[in-house]
Structure formats: structure tokens, C-alpha cells
Amino acid sequence: MNDIILLKLGEIVLKGLNRRSFEQKLTANVRRRLAPIGKFRVYCLQSIIYVEGEDGADMDTAFEALKKVFGVISLTRAAACEKDKDAIAKLAIEYLREDMLRAKSFKVETRRSDKAFPMTSIELSQYVGNALSDAYEDIEVDVHDPELVVHIEVRDLAAYVHAMPVHGAGGLPVGCSGTAVTLLSGGIDSPVSTYMIAKRGVHLIPVHFFSFPYTSQQAKDKVIELGRLLTEYCGKMTMEVVPFTHIQEEIRDKCPEEYFTLIMRRFMMRIAEQIAQRSNAKAIVTGENLGQVASQTMEAMASTQAVIDLPVLQPLIGMDKEEIITIARKIGTFDTSILPYEDCCTVFTPKHPRTRPKLSEVERAESVLDIDALVDEAVKGLEEVELRHE
């Protein structure tokens, strides 16, 4: 019995003349995700990606991994046979035995992409349904609200039998929408914003600002772990760790306290833009959420974004905290995010930060700093950390 995995594509099928390039990108991403698991034959026909294991490949592990590949809207384990009604009925009886024994009611649904097949979809559904009823007398046919739906697909190469599919990650294949830099801290928000932009097909370069000894090695390791967890969805990434201590000390020593956070974030934007330019990235991603903290008012965000020309993507801007936490739990980053290791954003926090700053005031407050020299120093000290899913 040929056990395979069928991957159904989501909005890719609406891409018209560009659809083939999206399919190719997704197929390549699937191959990369499966490479550490074993040998698989992966190919795309009629907007379905087929995954066939070779040399005893672990299909269970492969199935779990493919649930987290962006671009796949649903997936299912299936078995293939020749395009013959009796072969299809026999396969359904054997392959779905456990599902049939668990269910109290069922129906059969058929999709017939190969129009040369001699039976209509309804005729094949009825034929296989009768065979299943004869083989499993204790289960009832219910075409309106069945507990189990038996799916039959008659396609170009073969016929396929499977039970109900499970949801995939959705979205677009990572890499089809270009590259962006994402600011990754140790909090709850930035891993979620990174995930959400990756879901739109963006390859990401995480940037973390590290202020040793004010923040610990454990804090840095925590962010690296968050990045590693995200690779299940985002694919392999290279994190840029920015030495940020000197910049923060200069801000503390020379700038008015109420502007500490705003000036710090302006430096983050400048450095992120330089990293983006070196990597041909076209945007910067942040986890900002309107009104959540003092630096996330409209005026404050305008002042921090004024120092760069690249667009800033803010996928969490209108969400409340519970919505963000729900996604963090779903993608597996929440428990790591709440570990009690602080990051640079909590260093030298002003007691009374400006929440409605004027741009001219912020520029005047930071004018005492040698901005270009500090940015160049930080960029020259970048540490690269390779992130991949184990």
C-alpha cells in the first residue's frame, strides 16, 4: 500500500499567471523541511503537492513537520492505487479500517480531476460507499452530518483514498514576498509579529539588541531559542546580534531621561536599516502595538520611524494582548517568552517617558550624540547566529 501525504494549496491557486512560481517556491520549501527527516519524493501536479517516502522514511514525523509549512492550507495521509473502481473500493476498505471502526456514520465524497475516468463522481461515491457498508455493517451512511468523510480523488497519475484532512499553516510560501529585517526581543510580541509576516511569504533576518552586562547571557540565549522555535515556520534564519551597550550608556549619560526610550528605538531603526541594506531587505518588522506602552503612541512611533526610509511592517498594531498571547501559545513561543530574563528595552527605563513627543524635541535631545559613529561601531560588532530547527 503506497502511503503518501497530499498537501492542498491555499491562496496560491488564485495567483493566475504567477501561480507556477509560487508552487515551485512551496515545493522547494517542503523539500528543505523534509531533508533532515529522510528521503522523500516531492512533486506538484494540478496544484497538489505529493510527498512520497523512500527507504523507510518517517511519514509520521514528516506529517507533523508539514503542518507548519506556510502555503499549505490542508494536508492528509492518503494511499494510492490504480484508477479502477474495484481497486479503489478495496483500498478504502483496507486503508481506512481504523477510521471506519471508530466512526458511527460516514459518507463518501469523490473529486474526479481525470475526466477520462468512466464513472462520474457521484457514481464512484455510491459504488465505494456500498462496498464500505458491506464491509462494515455497524456503521451507518449519513450524507448530511457524517462522523467520517471518506475522500476519493481520481487524478492524473492514480486514485487516492484518505480520511478528513487537517488544517495546514496557510499563508504564502516563505521567500515569495522578499526579505525583511525583524526586530526580535525576548518578549511575547516580537516572535508573534515575526511569525505573522513570515506567513505572508517573507524571508526574515532577526535582529536582536544585546546590552551585556546589563542584560545577561541567559537573556541572549532566550532570544536565540525563540528564533530557533520560529524556524519551524520561518525556515532557516541568520540572527544578527547587535552590541548595544555603548549606545545605551551614551544615551544615559548625555540625553534627557524622558527621551531615553525614544532615542534608543531611533538607534535600533537606524541599525536595522543598515542591516537591511546589506541584505537587500525591503522592510523592517516590529512587534509594536498601538497604545500598549509609552513608546507605542502614534507620536512616539512616528518619531522612531522618521530616521529611516524603509517601510515598517507592524502586524500587531491593532491587536489586544490576549489575541497576541493566543498566537504565541499556538506557535510555541509563549513559555520561552515569559522566562524572567530582561532584554535591553528594560535598561535605563525613564520614570516619566514622553508619550506625545514632538520630532524636533527628540532630534534636539539626541543631537549631543555622535550618531553615525555609534551606529557604525554597532554594525561592525555584529555577531551572526545561525538558526535552524532541530
Side-chain angles (χ1 to χ4, degrees):
M1 190 180 300
N2 187 12
D3 186 23
I4 66 172
I5 300 172
L6 301 180
L7 307 179
K8 302 294 180 71
L9 313 189
E11 59 188 280
I12 292 175
V13 300
L14 305 176
K15 292 299 179 181
L17 296 177
N18 295 326
R19 186 173 73 184
R20 184 59 183 158
S21 64
F22 284 84
E23 292 176 347
Q24 289 172 339
K25 175 62 71 173
L26 178 54
T27 303
N29 290 350
V30 168
R31 289 194 180 107
R32 277 194 292 270
R33 183 60 56 87
L34 294 175
I37 300 173
K39 288 186 175 182
F40 296 86
R41 182 177 177 231
V42 181
Y43 54 95
C44 183
L45 289 173
Q46 295 181 309
S47 294
I48 300 288
I49 292 181
Y50 299 79
V51 177
E52 300 179 2
E54 299 179 359
D55 300 328
D58 187 343
M59 298 294 282
D60 293 333
T61 301
F63 190 78
E64 291 303 312
L66 293 173
K67 288 180 182 178
K68 299 176 181 179
V69 174
F70 288 131
V72 177
I73 195 169
S74 68
L75 62 165
T76 186
R77 296 281 288 271
C81 68
E82 61 182 297
K83 292 183 283 186
D84 172 80
K85 64 179 183 179
D86 293 320
I88 296 170
K90 180 181 178 182
L91 179 61
I93 292 169
E94 296 174 354
Y95 185 68
L96 300 177
R97 176 177 174 77
E98 292 184 5
D99 298 279
M100 293 294 294
L101 291 175
R102 281 195 300 264
K104 296 180 179 178
S105 60
F106 82 101
K107 75 172 181 179
V108 179
E109 289 187 354
T110 299
R111 293 188 64 182
R112 188 175 58 103
S113 300
D114 180 3
K115 301 306 180 184
F117 188 76
M119 301 175 73
T120 67
S121 296
I122 293 176
E123 289 171 343
L124 184 56
S125 293
Q126 292 173 338
Y127 186 84
V128 175
N130 289 332
L132 288 169
S133 292
D134 292 341
Y136 301 98
E137 297 179 352
D138 293 333
I139 185 172
E140 297 180 354
V141 174
D142 184 347
V143 296
H144 300 294
D145 187 24
E147 190 173 325
L148 170 66
V149 178
V150 174
H151 293 270
I152 299 170
E153 302 188 33
V154 182
R155 296 189 166 271
D156 282 355
L157 300 181
Y160 302 89
V161 173
H162 60 87
M164 289 180 282
V166 301
H167 291 295
L172 295 172
V174 170
C176 70
S177 298
T179 300
V181 164
T182 182
L183 305 189
L184 189 63
S185 72
I188 297 171
D189 296 349
S190 60
V192 174
S193 65
T194 301
Y195 160 87
M196 292 180 69
I197 292 298
K199 188 173 183 177
R200 300 311 306 157
V202 179
H203 169 69
L204 291 164
I205 302 169
V207 173
H208 176 61
F209 296 88
F210 183 49
S211 294
F212 186 82
Y214 302 106
T215 55
S216 65
Q217 180 63 39
Q218 291 98 322
K220 177 181 172 183
D221 292 342
K222 169 185 172 181
V223 177
I224 292 173
E225 174 63 11
L226 285 171
R228 190 193 67 78
L229 291 170
L230 287 167
T231 60
E232 283 199 86
Y233 294 94
C234 303
K236 182 176 69 173
M237 299 185 291
T238 300
M239 177 184 290
E240 302 282 1
V241 180
V242 181
F244 206 53
T245 306
H246 188 203
I247 290 175
Q248 289 195 282
E249 289 176 337
E250 286 287 289
I251 296 171
R252 176 199 61 188
D253 294 341
K254 297 179 180 179
C255 300
E257 181 183 355
E258 64 265 31
Y259 294 107
F260 280 2
T261 302
L262 291 170
I263 296 172
M264 176 194 73
R265 292 194 65 79
R266 282 163 66 88
F267 270 97
M268 289 180 173
M269 288 294 184
R270 293 183 179 105
I271 294 167
E273 185 172 58
Q274 286 214 12
I275 294 171
Q277 290 170 347
R278 296 191 335 176
S279 307
N280 199 31
K282 303 303 183 184
I284 295 172
V285 182
T286 74
E288 290 168 305
N289 178 259
L290 186 61
Q292 183 172 241
V293 294
S295 63
Q296 294 178 9
T297 64
M298 284 189 280
E299 294 88 343
M301 287 188 288
S303 73
T304 59
Q305 294 175 24
V307 297
I308 63 172
D309 296 321
L310 288 177
V312 178
L313 308 180
Q314 301 165 298
L316 311 186
I317 197 70
M319 300 176 67
D320 64 42
K321 198 67 177 183
E322 285 304 313
E323 291 174 311
I324 298 169
I325 289 173
T326 297
I327 297 174
R329 292 185 186 279
K330 169 190 169 184
I331 65 177
T333 58
F334 179 77
D335 290 341
T336 301
S337 290
I338 63 174
L339 292 175
Y341 305 121
E342 297 180 332
D343 59 34
C344 70
C345 294
T346 61
V347 176
F348 312 137
T349 303
K351 293 181 181 179
H352 303 289
R354 288 297 298 269
T355 58
R356 300 283 190 270
K358 292 182 179 179
L359 180 57
S360 59
E361 295 174 347
V362 181
E363 291 173 338
R364 186 164 54 250
E366 71 177 11
S367 64
V368 297
L369 303 173
D370 190 343
I371 293 172
D372 292 340
L374 288 169
V375 171
D376 289 343
E377 177 190 347
V379 172
K380 288 177 181 177
L382 289 174
E383 174 194 359
E384 293 188 348
V385 179
E386 296 295 327
L387 304 173
R388 63 181 69 236
H389 180 61
E390 296 176 359

